[in-house]
């Protein structure tokens, strides 16, 4: 292998039907504008993609998913549909990768056909997926070596490119080929298309469809081959190029397919068909040129975001795997979308946005691509109206961001505990705004967008707190990050974040006043701010408690946490390959001392400097043994804090686990999509845990206070951008070197 590509390529050595769905998620490709799951071009027999079934809203943690073998997925994040039970969901669009060979009446199939020397590789550096194998058809007429290469162009954002090479090794046969666009797809067992039309425009095939909320999507394909003449056949939902060729030993064939996907929600204006034709015509340059322009864009992205780990190749590859997904799922040019909880690599969580964005993903973008970070926050600004309506629906003023956000910013979560009580999301967005501002000093963003969100969200908190008998304030009926405690009183994480939100609303006004008096006045008038309301923000921020167990010096998850019953976690958890939540009812979880995920520990991760090392250590030691890590957001948060409290055993354990989560085929974590928050937080682990660099939320300058290399790691090298300057960071055994470049 080219040594430049050492630790850049993930290999699947054997095809195992039971692992197929995992690889469809793990090897997902995309360029921010769209993402495609890594299904085989020809599909798999018996894995119908157009099935209709009923689905209701359930907890993703304990849900058993349908489509056990294969799930196609073609997603454009701004195209959502309306499901009668699930609300707004991302739509699985028609399958443009379709390409299949047949000999006699045998259709090539990875599971049913005789396949030799199979291998599939995802090249993270170049964003290509390559599959190679030898096919021996059932009639034994020949042996054909096939190689498939494909990529979602990083340069031409609507373009997907496929190249298939066939080499006849032995014998002769009549090789039949079909390739086109297949509209027989459903999402969560539901048909979201109200219209579908197929068409031919000279040698280009097209499918256009209308979704149930009225958006139009168009796909165009162009299949090229020097050697085969194609006919085109079509019905309403499927359109195909079809051709035959008598082939014999020693011959080689190349097929190239270019596909374009576009919608009427795109930022570009113009007639869909005309734009589509222009886009597909612009792709009519050589495969090598298309590849090169794509590769160059990706090379630039890797130039700033790569993390080099010396000492553990598996961890190195897996770290890059996480970064690859962070790069391919984010669209830095479209402020109407963020990165959904599954990184657009599957339909679990329906393509929606959670606190994952601001707390787990945003830091990666803040420190490697501030433009992308700003864009993510602009999504929240653009959904401020939705958040205001949401506040009003709870009889509150201001803005209350939804737990599961739609494109407009409306609440999509239909489980009341989360929608009603998991309110910390609103303050998490405030934290994200301040984090971005602190690390970039982007005053323009603060003045024109950030401050408005901070004020409006503070107005919501003013109405959401309850005044108590002592004249103080409480937040009652709260679900903190730990979703196994539903209706708590004064959750430390939420309260601290709310105080932060209120304080930063006031501070942002002071900053703007000092920077731009005119803008300050404008904002003051636009939002009809009053001195009295700012006084009240101040009072609430001061009086809202952050509960501590004073005697034992640790953070109390909530004031009532100690009232919960002890639960024998290990005794109940019969099968560790499934989440703990499978073995206890929700009702039991809600009254027991067990955590789904880091909660007080998430607070220490965000406000490291506010707690003493002893407090952080005690908090870690108290909660970790009763944390089930049923949420993928939890292990890596623990790894970070473990590094601070010198728990090297746990640093190693949780780092290894978080890196394996979607990467290790044995765990099969990527079946329903990528745990993208885990990917983002792994990058934070490198910065704040391994290299010991506090974020701009905790430090005003870029310094490292401690270096913690997991076992076997010799050195970690990466870059980060801090207030406009780029630095090279090298974390070595006992220290971290920081150099401006
Ligand atoms: C976690 C949430 C998270 C969501 C989406 C849930 O299982 O408990 O914290 O936001 O998944 O990733």
């Amino acid at each position: 292998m080219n040594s430049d590509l050492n630790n850049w390529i993930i290999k699947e050595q054997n095809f195992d039907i039971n692992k197929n769905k995992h690889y469809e998620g793990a090897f997902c490709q995309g360029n921010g504008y769209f993402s495609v799951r890594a299904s085989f071009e020809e599909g798999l027999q018996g894995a119908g993609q157009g099935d209709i079934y009923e689905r209701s809203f359930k907890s993703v943690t304990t849900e058993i998913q349908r489509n056990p073998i294969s799930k196609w997925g073609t997603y454009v994040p701004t195209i959502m549909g309306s499901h009668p039970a699930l609300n707004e969901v991302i739509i699985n669009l028609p399958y443009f990768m379709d390409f299949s060979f047949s000999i006699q009446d045998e259709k090539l199939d990875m599971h049913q056909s005789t396949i030799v020397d199979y291998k599939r590789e995802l090249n993270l550096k170049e964003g290509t997926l390559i599959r190679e194998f030898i096919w021996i058809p059932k009639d034994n007429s020949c042996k054909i070596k096939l190689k498939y290469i494909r990529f979602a162009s990083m340069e031409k954002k609507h373009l997907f490119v496929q190249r298939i090479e066939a080499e006849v090794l032995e014998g002769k046969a009549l090789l039949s080929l079909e390739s086109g666009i297949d509209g027989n797809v459903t999402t969560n067992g539901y048909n979201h298309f109200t219209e579908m039309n197929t068409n031919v425009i000279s040698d280009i095939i097209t499918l256009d469809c209308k979704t149930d909320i009225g958006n139009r999507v168009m796909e165009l394909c162009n299949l090229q081959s020097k050697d085969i003449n194609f006919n085109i056949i079509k019905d309403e939902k499927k359109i195909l190029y079809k051709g035959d060729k008598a082939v014999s030993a020693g011959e080689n064939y190349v097929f190239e397919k270019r596909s374009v996907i576009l919608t009427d929600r795109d930022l570009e204006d113009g007639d869909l068909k005309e734009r589509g034709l222009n886009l597909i015509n612009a792709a009519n340059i050589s495969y090598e040129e298309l590849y090169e322009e794509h590769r160059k864009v990706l090379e630039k992205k890797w130039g700033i975001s790569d993390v080099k780990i010396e000492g553990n190749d598996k961890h190195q590859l897996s770290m890059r795997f996480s970064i690859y997904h962070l790069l391919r799922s984010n669209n830095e040019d479209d402020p109407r979308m963020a990165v959904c909880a599954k990184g657009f690599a599957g339909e679990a969580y329906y393509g929606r946005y959670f606190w994952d964005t601001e707390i787990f993903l945003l830091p990666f973008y803040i420190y490697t691509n501030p433009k992308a970070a700003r864009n993510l926050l602009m999504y929240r600004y653009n959904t401020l109206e939705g958040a205001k309506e949401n506040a009003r629906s709870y009889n509150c003023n201001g803005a209350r961001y939804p737990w599961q956000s739609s494109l407009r910013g409306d609440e999509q979560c239909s489980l009341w505990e989360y929608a009603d009580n998991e309110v910390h999301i609103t303050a998490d967005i405030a934290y994200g705004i301040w984090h971005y501002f602190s690390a970039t000093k982007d005053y323009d963003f603060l003045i024109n967008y950030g401050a408005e969100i901070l004020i409006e969200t503070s107005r919501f908190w003013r109405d959401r707190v309850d005044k108590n008998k002592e004249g103080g304030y409480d937040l009652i009926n709260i679900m903190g990050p730990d979703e196994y405690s539903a209706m708590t009183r004064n959750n430390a994480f939420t309260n601290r974040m709310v105080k932060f939100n209120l304080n930063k609303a006031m501070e942002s006004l002071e900053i703007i006043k000092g920077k731009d008096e005119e803008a300050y006045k404008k904002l003051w008038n636009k939002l009809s701010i009053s001195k009295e309301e700012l006084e009240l923000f101040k009072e609430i921020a001061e009086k809202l408690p952050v509960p501590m167990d004073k005697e034992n010096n640790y953070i109390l998850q909530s004031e009532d946490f100690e009232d919960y019953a002890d639960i024998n976690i290990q005794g109940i958890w019969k099968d560790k390959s499934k989440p703990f939540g499978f073995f206890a009812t929700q009702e039991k979880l809600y009254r027991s001392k067990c955590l789904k995920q880091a909660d007080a520990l998430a607070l220490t991760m965000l406000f490291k400097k506010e707690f003493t090392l002893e407090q952080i250590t005690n908090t870690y030691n108290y909660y970790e043994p009763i944390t089930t890590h049923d949420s993928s957001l939890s292990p890596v948060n623990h790894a970070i804090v473990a590094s601070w409290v010198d728990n090297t055993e746990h640093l190693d354990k949780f780092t290894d686990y978080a890196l394996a989560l979607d990467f290790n085929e044995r765990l099969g974590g990527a079946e329903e999509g990528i745990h993208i928050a885990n990917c983002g937080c792994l990058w934070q682990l490198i910065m704040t845990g391994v290299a010991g660099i506090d974020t701009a939320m905790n430090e005003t300058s870029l310094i490292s206070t401690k270096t913690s290399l997991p076992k076997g790691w010799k050195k970690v090298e990466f870059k980060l951008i801090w207030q406009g300057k780029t630095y090279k960071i090298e974390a070595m055994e006992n220290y971290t070197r920081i150099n401006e470049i």
Side-chain angles (χ1 to χ4, degrees), residues 59-61 340-342 349 352-357 360 403-404 418 422 424-425 479-484 596-598 630-634 674-678:
S59 157
V60 174
T61 316
C340 82
K342 288 291 182 182
Y349 288 126
R352 295 180 194 151
Y353 309 116
F354 294 69
W355 72 310
D356 306 31
T357 312
F360 293 83
W403 175 240
Q404 295 189 6
Y418 308 86
E422 206 161 356
H424 64 85
I425 173 80
M479 181 185 265
D482 164 28
E483 293 180 341
Y484 289 167
K596 182 177 178 190
Q597 63 206 93
D630 277 3
S631 161
S632 63
L633 274 52
S634 193
I674 293 294
H675 294 93
I676 199 79
N678 175 59

Side-chain angles (χ1 to χ4, degrees), residues 197-211:
N197 304 295
T198 52
N199 235 315
V200 187
I201 307 170
S202 60
D203 56 349
I204 293 161
I205 57 170
T206 73
L207 182 151
D208 66 275
C209 52
K210 192 171 174 188
T211 70

Side-chain angles (χ1 to χ4, degrees), residues 487-532:
M487 299 170 76
T488 69
R489 183 185 178 89
N490 287 325
N491 167 263
F493 179 93
T494 308
N495 283 20
R496 180 63 193 96
M497 293 295 268
V498 171
K499 286 156 93 72
F500 180 85
N501 192 157
L502 293 160
N503 284 329
K504 293 305 167 191
M506 294 179 287
E507 195 177 328
S508 67
L509 287 174
E510 286 310 306
I511 292 175
I512 297 172
K513 194 174 179 186
K515 191 88 188 159
D516 182 345
E517 183 86 33
E518 222 16 63
Y520 170 76
K521 283 192 198 138
K522 232 171 99 188
L523 191 65
W524 188 276
N525 292 334
K526 178 180 173 192
L527 303 183
S528 312
I529 302 170
S530 71
K531 282 209 177 101
E532 295 70 39

Side-chain angles (χ1 to χ4, degrees), residues 10 47 84 217 258 285 310 312 316 348 355 422 556 645 650 734:
I10 306 179
V217 178
R258 288 146 174 72
I285 53 176
E310 280 176 29
N312 187 325
Q316 166 69 86
W355 72 310
E422 206 161 356
L556 266 180
V645 301
H650 280 196
N734 293 317

Side-chain angles (χ1 to χ4, degrees), residues 67 128 145 161 185 205 244 261 302 340 431 457 488 517 535 571 642:
N67 303 80
T128 47
K145 188 172 175 193
V161 180
V185 291
I205 57 170
D244 293 328
I261 180 164
W302 277 113
C340 82
Y431 186 96
T457 47
T488 69
E517 183 86 33
E535 281 302 311

Side-chain angles (χ1 to χ4, degrees), residues 415-465:
L415 297 179
W416 66 267
E417 310 87 305
Y418 308 86
D420 288 359
N421 301 346
E422 206 161 356
V423 280
H424 64 85
I425 173 80
T426 294
D428 302 336
I429 290 165
Y431 186 96
I433 289 171
W434 209 259
H435 194 170
Y436 169 75
F437 173 67
S438 309
T440 61
K441 295 289 170 216
D442 182 349
Y443 285 95
D444 177 74
F445 176 78
L446 187 73
I447 294 171
N448 293 305
Y449 311 103
E452 187 173 338
I453 298 181
L454 293 169
I455 302 283
E456 292 292 7
T457 47
S458 293
R459 287 175 168 164
F460 163 68
W461 293 122
R462 182 192 60 200
D463 292 352
R464 177 60 174 80
V465 294

